[in-house]
Amino acid sequence: MRLALRGTAPRWLTPVLLLITVVVTFAITAGPIRAAGAAPGAAYERYVLTPLSSPASFYEVLLAATPLLFTGLAVAIAFRSGYYNIGAEGQFLAGAMGATAVALAWPDLPRGIALPVAFVAGAAGGALWALIPALLRVKLDIDEVVTTLLLNPVALLLLQGMLNGPWRNPVNQFPESQAFSGSYVLPSVIPGARVHLGFVIALALAVLAWLVISRTATGLRMRAVGLAAPAARFSGVSVQRTLLGSALASGAIAGLGGMSQVCGLQGQLTGEISSNFGYTGIVVATLGGLTALGVVLVAVLLADITVGAESAARVLQLPPQMGQVLTAVLLLVTVSLLVFRRYRLVLRPSRPPASTRQPSTPTAEHAGVSP
Amino acid sequence: MIDILALIGAMLVAATPLIYAATGEVLTERAGILNLGIEGTMYAGAFSGFLVAAKTGSPWLGLAAALVLGVVAGALMGLLVVTLGVNQHVAGIGTTLLLIGASEFTNRLLYGGGALVQIDKFGLLFPDVPVLGQYVLTYVALIVVVPFVWWLLRATGFGLRVRAVGENPEAADAAGISVARTRYAALMGGGALMAAGGAFLTLAVVGTFTLNISNGRGWVCIALVIFARWRVWPAVLGALLFAGVDALQLQLVITPAFSGIPRELMLALPYLVVIAALAASGRGLVYPGAYLKPYRRA
């Protein structure tokens, strides 16, 4: 049994593979759900369907999808250029800190100025956090995976340091910032729901990312570098500049996610501003096939599971961590099965019969190559 | 004043999990596979070791459970990146998310996330002697595991096969080496070492399981392996450097002269030192030839 390259995948294959993905994911996770004393059927209904069943909970899904849209887009843009930015988590936190810095420094700005300023500060924070690994990669050829990863805990420590030091709440002495003044709060976009302007900005960014990647020369260069850097270089693309650009754009988008989270949902900076949104962004980008539309769909799906996991914890007493397990299994099963779009399973042995491999006996194979 | 002997003792304790896990990562990367599942493997190793030790009362059985878990985690990575040829970054991050999620899920299920269960943990060898008063696992790491893996990679047929499939799998295959079998073996052996590093945290240092117990140590090991240029002893040196800075910051925090410096800055110091060390030594890195590349016969 082995995998062999296929020519073109038949049309029906991808939908069938996705269907199998769902079945396999459910089959794998049914065990732990049973072990927790819940019926798998009822649990999946909670995870997937319940959040979509009423407008109020659907708006909660959109709210939960907002940070994942930002980090998913950030990761997708970087991965597309072959820049493996695993640091969206740190860049998200840096963006949140950037927005917090301006919100605390100039609380009295009118909203029309305050929000754009916070927007720029968030993007700048994220880009700044992405800058060092990007420079190390471009100038010294140091693997960005390691440096972006290592800067994630550093960003969290910086955040905690700021909250324990200069930004500590002067009123109650908790390690969290003061509540931002109203002009820094992203307004709700649906009356009565918590979905805020950040969601709309994220969607706009997704459209922009799609336009840039698929319709501009910059996007072509990014894709060329990601697919085959030597070939791109040979055809005159500056690989270094493209990588640097994608890395900074990726960091800026992740930083905007942090800004959207502090100014949208919380209205203040706390130590728990990110619940692994940066790492989940890698899942979102990968499952979304590194495309803008894919990122949007997967972000909403994972948000659906997240909101569903909370509901399952309340109603079925399923530990909320099951949501993370489900997401991880879904990721691994999907990437495994998508291999079959390019390869097909061949059921005959991979080696030719042993007799033709004996070097002592001359064979047709050997005869064929000898002059 | 800084107590040098206490500092060295603390450094060895902090270095032990890194030494195990970084040695395991050297093994897998030499076979051409970046195993980002390392963080999750350490985490799940810490949890499974704790769980079995808590149920049986024996830290040795806990360690055995962690080793088994590490082998299984390595086999899972093998299925993903060797058999199926999935992108190694994605497979590794996915494995880490899965193992951390599964550990926390099981922990929540069994212990409700509340009460801390203390286990019988490993004792110190020579508890009254400074510096030498260390856990058995620290001695095992430095005297048995690291020299063994060094010898394995350098002087055995298996080590030669590992390096061959990591440098040039086509040539290795042509020479009759099974690329897949060798990579699976490296991943499973490496996984066992990573899990042992994690188990050291619960079975020796802490004596219980707490959330976020591995705290990014796996990522540190990824950096150490590159810093060490995929060699075992330099990785140990890197682990000692990181742990030394870590132990130093713990001492400085309680030293009055340094009390004005924020604790978080001190905690961030080891990470920054590793990045600086990478930047200083990073020029002219030669990655294993088949790094990140799945192998399939043409």
Side-chain angles (χ1 to χ4, degrees), chain A residues 18-112:
Chain A
L18 291 178
L19 193 69
I20 301 175
T21 299
V22 173
V23 172
V24 172
T25 303
F26 281 1
I28 293 175
T29 49
I33 290 175
R34 269 216 190 84
Y44 299 135
E45 193 187 335
R46 284 276 151 198
Y47 282 124
V48 184
L49 297 180
T50 309
L52 304 178
S53 60
S54 78
S57 60
F58 180 63
Y59 297 144
E60 284 296 301
V61 170
L62 297 185
L63 178 74
T66 304
L68 299 180
L69 283 171
F70 283 105
T71 55
L73 283 174
V75 173
I77 283 180
F79 278 31
R80 258 300 172 85
S81 326
Y83 182 86
Y84 284 95
N85 177 15
I86 317 283
E89 183 75 14
Q91 293 143 14
F92 183 94
L93 295 174
M97 284 188 270
T100 304
V102 296
L104 295 179
W106 301 300
D108 301 326
L109 290 181
R111 174 175 277 182

Side-chain angles (χ1 to χ4, degrees), chain B residues 262-277:
Chain B
R263 205 176 100 78
E264 290 83 5
L265 181 66
M266 299 289 210
L267 287 170
L269 205 57
Y271 298 101
L272 297 174
V273 167
V274 171
I275 294 174

Side-chain angles (χ1 to χ4, degrees), chain A residues 52-260:
Chain A
L52 304 178
S53 60
S54 78
S57 60
F58 180 63
Y59 297 144
E60 284 296 301
V61 170
L62 297 185
L63 178 74
T66 304
L68 299 180
L69 283 171
F70 283 105
T71 55
L73 283 174
V75 173
I77 283 180
F79 278 31
R80 258 300 172 85
S81 326
Y83 182 86
Y84 284 95
N85 177 15
I86 317 283
E89 183 75 14
Q91 293 143 14
F92 183 94
L93 295 174
M97 284 188 270
T100 304
V102 296
L104 295 179
W106 301 300
D108 301 326
L109 290 181
R111 174 175 277 182
I113 301 172
L115 280 181
V117 167
F119 193 83
V120 171
L128 191 68
W129 209 252
L131 180 66
I132 298 167
L135 285 178
L136 286 175
R137 164 70 197 269
V138 172
K139 301 284 177 203
L140 297 175
D141 204 23
I142 291 171
D143 190 24
E144 72 278 9
V145 171
V146 181
T147 45
T148 51
L149 258 178
L150 284 177
L151 282 176
N152 291 341
V154 176
L156 185 61
L157 286 165
L158 179 63
L159 178 92
Q160 289 166 349
M162 292 306 283
L163 290 178
N164 282 320
W167 289 348
R168 184 187 284 275
N169 193 323
V171 181
N172 56 18
Q173 292 298 316
F174 283 142
E176 54 189 36
S177 81
Q178 264 180 297
F180 296 172
S181 80
S183 54
Y184 282 96
V185 175
L186 289 165
S188 162
V189 286
I190 294 167
R194 297 198 295 165
V195 195
H196 52 78
L197 196 58
F199 177 73
V200 179
I201 295 172
L203 281 188
L205 272 175
V207 174
L208 187 68
W210 172 75
L211 277 176
V212 169
I213 290 177
S214 61
R215 291 283 182 275
T216 67
T218 311
L220 183 64
R221 279 195 289 272
M222 286 169 57
R223 284 180 286 147
V225 169
L227 288 173
R233 184 177 296 118
F234 186 70
S235 55
V237 174
S238 168
V239 172
Q240 299 195 336
R241 197 181 305 162
T242 307
L243 282 179
L244 193 62
S246 319
L248 294 185
S250 172
I253 295 174
L256 281 178
M259 176 269 179
S260 147

